[in-house]
Structure formats: C-alpha cells, structure tokens
Amino acid sequence: MLKQHRKKSPRSVKCAVVTVSDTRDKETDKSGKLLHELLEKDHHKVHFYKIIPDEKSEIVQTLNETITHSDIECVIVNGGTGIAKRDVTIEAVEPILDKELPGFGELFRYLSYELDIGSASILSRAIAGVANNTAVFSIPGSSGAVKLAMEKLISPELGHIVMEINKDL
C-alpha cells in the first residue's frame, strides 16, 4: 500500500526555506544552503527563502506569509529550536499548526541520539505538522541536524505528505 501511495505522490514539491538566526546572513547560512541543495537534489523547488531573527513575531509573520502563498506546499524552518531564552521557533510554529505530526519530533530525536549527537538530542525541539494545507517542518539549525532530518525523514516522505494533505481538497 505504501509503495502505491509513493507512486501517486508528487515528485516535485514547492518549498519555502526559512532560517531563524540572529547571526547568519546569506553568505554564512550553511544550513539554508544545504536545505536548498538537498531539496533540489530530490527534484523539489525552493520558491521562497528568507533569513529572519529569532523573534516570535517575525517567525509568525513569515510562517503566515508562506502558508498562505499559493506557490508553497512545504515550509522548512531551521534554527531557534533549542532551549536558550532566545530560541522561540517552536513557540511560534506550534500554535499555527492545524495538525501536529508528533512522530516527526520523536523520530528526529531518536535518530539524532543514535546517529549524531547522543544524549544531547534531549535538547532538540524539532516539530512538524500541517498549517493551512501546507506541510511545516521546524528543525535545528546545525548542518548535521538538517542533513539528518532531510535524508532520514523529510525527503523520503515529502511527496507522500503533500499528497495526503491535498487528497480531500
């Protein structure tokens, strides 16, 4: 059944990449560049890219802009997911979600523990869900976290997720 779903899933998804950082710019945003590369390698298109400061109001505004844009089917936010006082991405993303995909955060932390950072994975607050018929992923901003999330979780299921979101519309 899953193979049939994947066969019917779109091969190319229209994406937005949002980097949340107080220090990065377009030249130093390694994670944003990596997201672009990995999405394009898998035949997806990046229609929107922006770097914004770790400010809840700016994150909410940018999310609302992307999830209401007709050319965006998926938003991937990287950065601002830690536990420091300035890390407010999850607080901005979570209330906007119509449906949460709790398995994403659970699996991301498990894979981070097993394959990347060990017990430090308990500090990760990755989250995913659906907002306004748009897939939304919020992942840590390190290159390792981006690579792990994309290769092990997001890329293998992105077309399937978009298909499921749109099947009853």
Side-chain angles (χ1 to χ4, degrees):
M1 185 76 159
L2 183 58
K3 286 183 181 181
Q4 289 175 344
H5 279 236
R6 285 199 175 138
K7 283 181 184 177
K8 293 178 184 176
S9 300
R11 285 208 17 90
S12 180
V13 173
K14 298 175 275 189
C15 300
V17 172
V18 178
T19 296
V20 176
S21 175
D22 291 329
T23 59
R24 294 183 188 162
D25 59 31
K26 288 195 178 191
E27 296 211 1
T28 60
D29 183 17
K30 291 190 299 187
S31 294
K33 289 176 188 172
L34 181 58
L35 278 167
H36 274 147
E37 290 169 17
L38 294 172
L39 287 164
E40 290 173 1
K41 181 186 102 182
D42 288 333
H43 310 289
H44 304 299
K45 304 289 181 219
V46 177
H47 286 257
F48 180 95
Y49 168 64
K50 191 172 186 178
I51 301 170
I52 58 175
D54 209 334
E55 296 288 341
K56 188 175 180 182
S57 62
E58 290 213 37
I59 298 167
V60 168
Q61 180 182 340
T62 302
L63 281 170
N64 284 325
E65 180 182 348
T66 56
I67 66 171
T68 58
H69 196 286
S70 62
D71 270 350
I72 304 295
E73 299 170 298
C74 171
V75 180
I76 303 174
V77 181
N78 75 98
T81 62
I83 61 171
K85 190 172 185 104
R86 293 280 305 148
D87 293 327
V88 296
T89 300
I90 300 305
E91 288 74 18
V93 172
E94 196 169 33
I96 289 173
L97 298 178
D98 302 317
K99 294 186 179 196
E100 187 176 340
L101 298 172
F104 175 79
E106 295 162 359
L107 281 170
F108 178 80
R109 283 180 285 282
Y110 170 77
L111 291 169
S112 293
Y113 176 81
E114 286 289 317
L115 303 175
D116 193 18
I117 58 174
S119 61
S121 64
I122 65 170
L123 301 172
S124 172
R125 299 188 308 143
I127 190 172
V130 179
N132 194 42
N133 299 313
T134 305
V136 177
F137 297 91
S138 182
I139 59 178
S142 73
S143 296
V146 166
K147 188 174 188 317
L148 179 86
M150 288 300 296
E151 291 178 352
K152 298 292 185 185
L153 298 171
I154 299 172
S155 290
E157 292 301 326
L158 187 53
H160 185 200
I161 290 168
V162 169
M163 181 191 77
E164 288 294 322
I165 291 169
N166 291 305
K167 77 178 184 182
D168 295 328
L169 297 180

